[in-house]
Amino acid sequence: MGLARLLLVGFVLLVLGSRALVRGNAELEALMEIKASLDPENKVLTSWTGNGDPCGGSFDGVACNEHQKVANISLQGKGLSGKVPPAMAQLKCLSGLYLHYNYLTGEIPREISRLTELTDLYLDVNNLTGSIPSEIGSMASLQVLQLCYNQLNGTIPPQIGSLKKLSVLALQHNKLSGDIHGLANLQTLKRLVLGFNGFNGTFPVEIAKIPELQTLDVQNNSLSGFVPAALKKLERFNYQNNPGLCGSGFPSLRNCNNFDPNLHPNGVNPIVLIPRTPDVKTHCNQSHCSNPSKLPQAALVAGIVSVTVTLVGAGLLTFYRYRRGKQKIGSTADASDGRLSTDQSKDLYSRSASPLVCLEYSSGWDPLDDGRCGNGLSLQAPRYTLEEVESATQYFSEVNLLGRSTFLSVYKGILRDGTLVAIRSINVTSCKSEEVDFVNGLNLVTSLRHENLIRLRGVCCSKGRGECFLVYDFAPKGTLSQYLDLEDRSIQVLDWSTRVSIIKGIAEGIGYLHNGEGSKPAVVHQNISAEKILIDQQLNPLIMDSGLPKLLADDVIYSALKTSAAMGYMAPEYITTGRFTEKSDVFAYGVIIFQILSGKRLLSSSMRSAAECCSSENFIDSNLKGNFTEPEAAILGKIALRCTSELPDNRPTIFRVIEELNDWCVKCR
Ligand SMILES: *[C@@H]1O[C@H](CO)[C@@H](O)[C@H](O)[C@H]1NC(C)=O
Ligand SMILES: *[C@@H]1O[C@H](CO)[C@@H](O)[C@H](O)[C@H]1NC(C)=O
Ligand SMILES: *[C@@H]1O[C@H](CO)[C@@H](O)[C@H](O)[C@H]1NC(C)=O
Ligand SMILES: *[C@@H]1O[C@H](CO)[C@@H](O)[C@H](O)[C@H]1NC(C)=O
Ligand SMILES: *[C@@H]1O[C@H](CO)[C@@H](O)[C@H](O)[C@H]1NC(C)=O
Ligand SMILES: *[C@@H]1O[C@H](CO)[C@@H](O)[C@H](O)[C@H]1NC(C)=O
């Protein structure tokens, strides 16, 4: 009895105690403060709640270490529109802070420098202003500092030069100016990207002595002086658009003359010596944090590379297969492609193993890159760089995701000039495995042009991401399927004449595809459905995914067909012949006519019989409230019936349908 009471009291105390512990959780309080600052309207971080457990897995983007301390915050591309809060500094064990691709404004708080465990700081592609706080120089663990694509101004604080572990520094596309000599002290740098700023002063020749530097980008600045020839050994060195630079052996640099600075080192730009910052005592050394693993670099790299290879092996293999057949051109290019730099492998690893997505602006890889693709094929559509695609979609932010299937995702995007686009990403493992087939397919897809096909603006293929992107015009009014089965009163009911013109427009688009005259081959769409018809601002129909089967691997195409069969678009003969023909497209078109007339996605046999015996009122959408033209409805019903005939021979060609629609419209208008 006594013991039981004691146990009970003990239990109650335990419960109370643990609640007090939660209530007093400093990190939770800090997180709530951080949330209020990053997401002032509480639209994104709704999962962060004051009575929740940050380490319980329910806080979006928060990862904890084994001591239940917040170790990573990954909120890239979430549409955050607030500010980076000083309270961030209270998460003492934070090792990764990923806030890139948001709309954050304000300055980088200097308190952030108290995060002495932080290895990765990604604040790039935001709208941050002010200057880079000099205190960042005391973040002893920092390895990756990404601040590019912001509005930062001022100069690079010399203290940055004391970051002893920094391997990536990306500051491009800001408004920074001044001298960059202090950066030559960063002996661990692998990538240094400073392009598109206002850096002036002389080029720091000492940079050539950084042992493992692979990438140096200083393009579009105002640097002057002498560029050492030793920099030719870099994997990538972008120096163009600096009118004052000179050097020998670089294609677009003039030779130096006597008046160039740097050739007169007397007094000009001595190497800035930076006092070593005292080692900041780490807050996380006791029971709280495990030190970030300090495996020997080589072992780490090997591990990462092997994980990478396993995880993305399939994708890379496909790419290597693409690469075959063009080895006669540039064997050096092939060699460098086969090797993963530490940096790239880290990126790939991160992508596969954690929610973290890293930037790899430089590794945009294009199987059609001029001079590499030896087939002499040229694309009709322009090519986008990975950087443009990433920036348009805010690094494939979920807020921009329009739709996703097993092999395709579609994102909304905004190009730098403000144009709205829809970007389809196709995983390269879904593509045809032979390069020739793939490139031919891409050429076909990019050559298709018609006012009733969605316009392809350009393409981009990235080895780093293992994806190809098709950049299309954006259709603001969604897909035809959104106008079917209307229950949501916010979506407009299409009026009769609009329905007729949509039916006509789709026929014109299919007619263009099926027409094999001229240089264009006849193309069977294979997957026409209400989901594949987009509606533009003027309510014209635009067919999408035309020619896509020429790009995709066969098994991918078949798996996509299951949906179209379930929705009733698949011609009956497909089951026996297994082949798509123009007549199977006509069948699907007939189904769409019925859908447009009835306003319903799924068709019933009573609809067919109503169309057969001309009782239009029994199959026309009741949302029209009788506002339609009976004879027109009867004619369209008849066309739909013939298009969906059981036997392909009984179906009209699309050209015949177009003729009938045109004849009739001459008569009826
Ligand atoms: C934090 O992110 C890094 C980089 O992706 C990862 O290696 C590490 O395991 C993450 N830590 C936790 C606790 O999730
Ligand atoms: C960034 O801020 C400027 C004003 O400071 C504003 O004009 C611009 O639209 C902002 N850009 C974004 C992407 O929010
Ligand atoms: C940086 O920009 C801010 C406005 O965002 C301005 O107030 C400040 O003077 C600028 N600083 C420098 C060094 O140009
Ligand atoms: C660099 O630009 C700043 C401001 O734009 C100016 O004050 C400075 O004199 C320039 N330095 C050189 C070496 O031209
Ligand atoms: C880069 O510099 C070139 C030459 O000065 C200029 O034409 C181009 O517009 C610049 N690009 C950007 C993005 O500023
Ligand atoms: C950990 O911190 C304590 C003080 O909190 C200090 O005395 C000790 O030397 C530190 N240990 C390490 C390994 O840094």
Side-chain angles (χ1 to χ4, degrees):
M1 190 67 170
L3 182 65
R5 275 181 71 148
L6 205 66
L7 280 177
L8 186 67
V9 169
F11 179 71
V12 168
L13 281 178
L14 202 71
V15 169
L16 289 177
S18 65
R19 292 212 7 227
L21 211 70
V22 170
R23 207 174 304 134
N25 187 337
E27 294 221 315
L28 178 58
E29 279 167 25
L31 282 171
M32 296 318 287
E33 209 178 322
I34 290 165
K35 163 181 160 155
S37 173
L38 289 177
D39 183 24
E41 292 167 40
N42 191 20
K43 284 194 298 200
V44 181
L45 301 178
T46 48
S47 63
W48 294 24
T49 53
N51 54 5
D53 174 9
C55 296
S58 61
F59 277 42
D60 192 16
V62 175
C64 295
N65 63 18
E66 65 269 37
H67 304 293
Q68 304 299 302
K69 296 283 174 188
V70 177
N72 286 330
I73 294 192
S74 310
L75 295 173
Q76 64 278 0
K78 293 281 186 190
L80 296 170
S81 56
K83 294 179 161 46
V84 183
M88 205 59 91
Q90 294 170 36
L91 303 174
K92 296 194 163 46
C93 301
L94 204 62
S95 67
L97 179 55
Y98 308 96
L99 296 176
H100 45 303
Y101 286 100
N102 282 298
Y103 305 102
L104 299 172
T105 57
E107 302 199 358
I108 302 171
R110 44 199 73 243
E111 291 81 357
I112 211 166
S113 63
R114 287 197 233 131
L115 294 170
T116 49
E117 299 282 310
L118 200 71
T119 59
D120 293 29
L121 179 55
Y122 286 65
L123 298 176
D124 41 308
V125 205
N126 276 295
N127 215 350
L128 300 173
T129 50
S131 54
I132 301 174
S134 59
E135 290 84 349
I136 284 189
S138 63
M139 301 176 76
S141 306
L142 210 55
Q143 295 171 15
V144 179
L145 179 55
Q146 296 259 10
L147 301 177
C148 48
Y149 290 93
N150 277 296
Q151 319 269 343
L152 300 172
N153 64 6
T155 57
I156 298 182
Q159 288 83 348
I160 294 283
S162 43
L163 291 169
K164 289 285 172 283
K165 294 182 177 166
L166 200 65
S167 69
V168 177
L169 178 59
L171 301 175
Q172 69 271 29
H173 291 275
N174 276 294
K175 298 171 178 168
L176 298 165
S177 57
D179 183 273
I180 58 171
H181 279 256
L183 300 178
N185 288 3
L186 295 166
Q187 290 293 310
T188 47
L189 273 185
K190 296 196 173 74
R191 282 166 34 78
L192 177 58
V193 191
L194 304 173
F196 303 95
N197 277 291
F199 292 119
N200 54 9
T202 53
F203 186 88
V205 288
E206 321 81 69
I207 272 184
K209 298 197 187 112
I210 298 178
E212 290 183 65
L213 192 66
Q214 295 157 357
T215 296
L216 175 61
D217 182 341
V218 295
Q219 63 185 304
N220 279 54
N221 280 293
S222 304
L223 297 172
S224 57
F226 168 67
V227 176
L231 289 171
K232 273 185 283 192
K233 71 173 196 296
L234 296 184
E235 270 172 29
R236 190 164 76 96
F237 177 36
N238 292 341
Y239 51 81
Q240 55 277 36
N241 297 325
N242 282 284
L245 287 185
C246 67
S248 55
F250 294 97
S252 59
L253 282 189
R254 63 190 168 83
N255 280 323
C256 295
N257 60 43
N258 260 342
F259 301 102
D260 287 310
N262 262 24
L263 298 182
H264 302 281
N266 43 330
V268 190
N269 301 306
I271 298 176
V272 183
L273 283 179
I274 291 157
R276 205 180 127 72
T277 37
D279 274 332
V280 186
K281 198 176 66 174
T282 152
H283 303 276
C284 297
N285 74 338
Q286 315 108 345
S287 61
H288 294 326
C289 272
S290 62
N291 257 351
S293 70
K294 297 280 191 304
L295 286 178
Q297 190 79 350
L300 191 63
V301 171
I304 288 168
V305 168
S306 73
V307 171
T308 306
V309 166
T310 324
L311 290 175
V312 297
L316 286 180
L317 272 182
T318 317
F319 272 117
Y320 288 140
R321 236 182 296 162
Y322 287 164
R323 296 208 60 80
R324 254 191 271 137
K326 26 176 159 141
Q327 306 218 331
K328 56 180 192 282
I329 303 178
S331 56
T332 51
D334 281 292
S336 69
D337 268 33
R339 171 165 45 88
L340 287 163
S341 72
T342 320
D343 217 29
Q344 285 168 323
S345 53
K346 182 173 178 202
D347 283 350
L348 289 166
Y349 171 63
S350 311
R351 236 190 325 275
S352 320
S354 81
L356 160 71
V357 224
C358 291
L359 292 181
E360 189 50 59
Y361 284 127
S362 62
S363 75
W365 178 81
D366 187 342
L368 309 151
D369 205 3
D370 299 309
R372 287 210 190 176
C373 183
N375 298 320
L377 291 160
S378 67
L379 271 190
Q380 324 279 332
R383 283 181 228 147
Y384 288 90
T385 64
L386 180 60
E387 182 189 333
E388 285 168 307
V389 171
E390 286 180 338
S391 126
T393 58
Q394 294 178 283
Y395 206 76
F396 310 99
S397 154
E398 279 164 39
V399 294
N400 289 327
L401 188 65
L402 296 174
R404 175 179 280 156
S405 69
T406 40
F407 61 98
L408 288 175
S409 306
V410 190
Y411 293 87
K412 182 176 174 175
I414 305 176
L415 298 180
R416 281 201 206 289
D417 67 3
T419 316
L420 273 177
V421 290
I423 300 182
R424 315 216 90 186
S425 86
I426 305 177
N427 196 294
V428 78
T429 52
S430 307
C431 292
K432 295 238 185 274
S433 55
E434 290 304 321
E435 179 193 359
V436 175
D437 297 341
F438 176 75
V439 174
N440 284 339
L442 207 49
N443 270 316
L444 175 77
V445 167
T446 57
S447 70
L448 299 174
R449 294 245 182 275
H450 185 268
E451 58 183 7
N452 293 113
L453 303 188
I454 187 82
R455 186 166 78 98
L456 181 70
R457 301 177 66 98
V459 298
C460 160
C461 289
S462 159
K463 175 189 172 191
R465 288 186 58 95
E467 282 172 291
C468 278
F469 303 97
L470 304 179
V471 181
Y472 291 96
D473 278 351
F474 185 77
K477 300 229 165 217
T479 66
L480 179 59
S481 64
Q482 283 168 247
Y483 298 83
L484 302 174
D485 292 337
L486 285 189
E487 275 160 23
D488 180 358
R489 289 282 149 216
S490 68
I491 294 183
Q492 80 185 94
V493 174
L494 299 174
D495 67 21
W496 180 251
S497 65
T498 304
R499 294 188 200 214
V500 173
S501 83
I502 288 177
I503 289 173
K504 240 186 122 208
I506 299 171
E508 301 276 357
I510 299 174
Y512 168 79
L513 290 176
H514 286 188
N515 192 341
E517 285 164 18
S519 58
K520 180 187 144 304
V523 175
V524 178
H525 187 288
Q526 304 193 9
N527 200 6
I528 294 173
S529 70
E531 275 73 29
K532 305 283 179 201
I533 310 291
L534 296 161
I535 305 293
D536 77 4
Q537 195 64 43
Q538 286 76 40
L539 300 174
N540 296 310
L542 302 168
I543 302 173
M544 66 174 179
D545 288 356
S546 306
L548 216 53
K550 301 274 184 204
L551 272 186
L552 298 175
D554 290 346
D555 52 334
V556 172
I557 299 169
Y558 296 136
S559 76
L561 292 179
K562 286 186 198 136
T563 346
S564 98
M567 296 302 294
Y569 296 108
M570 193 181 282
E573 74 275 10
Y574 179 80
I575 294 155
T576 47
T577 64
R579 286 183 57 237
F580 289 101
T581 62
E582 281 85 347
K583 289 294 179 72
S584 52
D585 278 355
V586 168
F587 183 92
Y589 172 67
V591 173
I592 288 182
I593 300 182
F594 271 130
Q595 290 177 319
I596 294 174
L597 295 179
S598 68
K600 295 196 176 56
R601 225 172 285 237
L602 287 179
L603 306 179
S604 59
S605 51
S606 64
M607 210 180 278
R608 274 189 84 91
S609 40
E612 261 156 20
C613 56
C614 309
S615 50
S616 321
E617 66 278 10
N618 290 333
F619 72 95
I620 301 293
D621 190 355
S622 58
N623 282 317
L624 283 168
K625 303 198 167 62
N627 289 324
F628 66 94
T629 320
E630 179 75 45
E632 293 181 1
I635 293 174
L636 291 173
K638 286 273 166 4
I639 292 177
L641 273 177
R642 281 160 54 221
C643 288
T644 52
S645 296
E646 199 71 16
L647 292 174
D649 287 346
N650 293 345
R651 292 175 213 147
T653 64
I654 198 71
F655 309 114
R656 178 78 203 123
V657 172
I658 294 170
E659 268 171 34
E660 286 179 26
L661 289 172
N662 285 339
D663 285 353
W664 159 62
C665 285
V666 169
K667 274 179 238 151
C668 65
R669 292 276 148 83

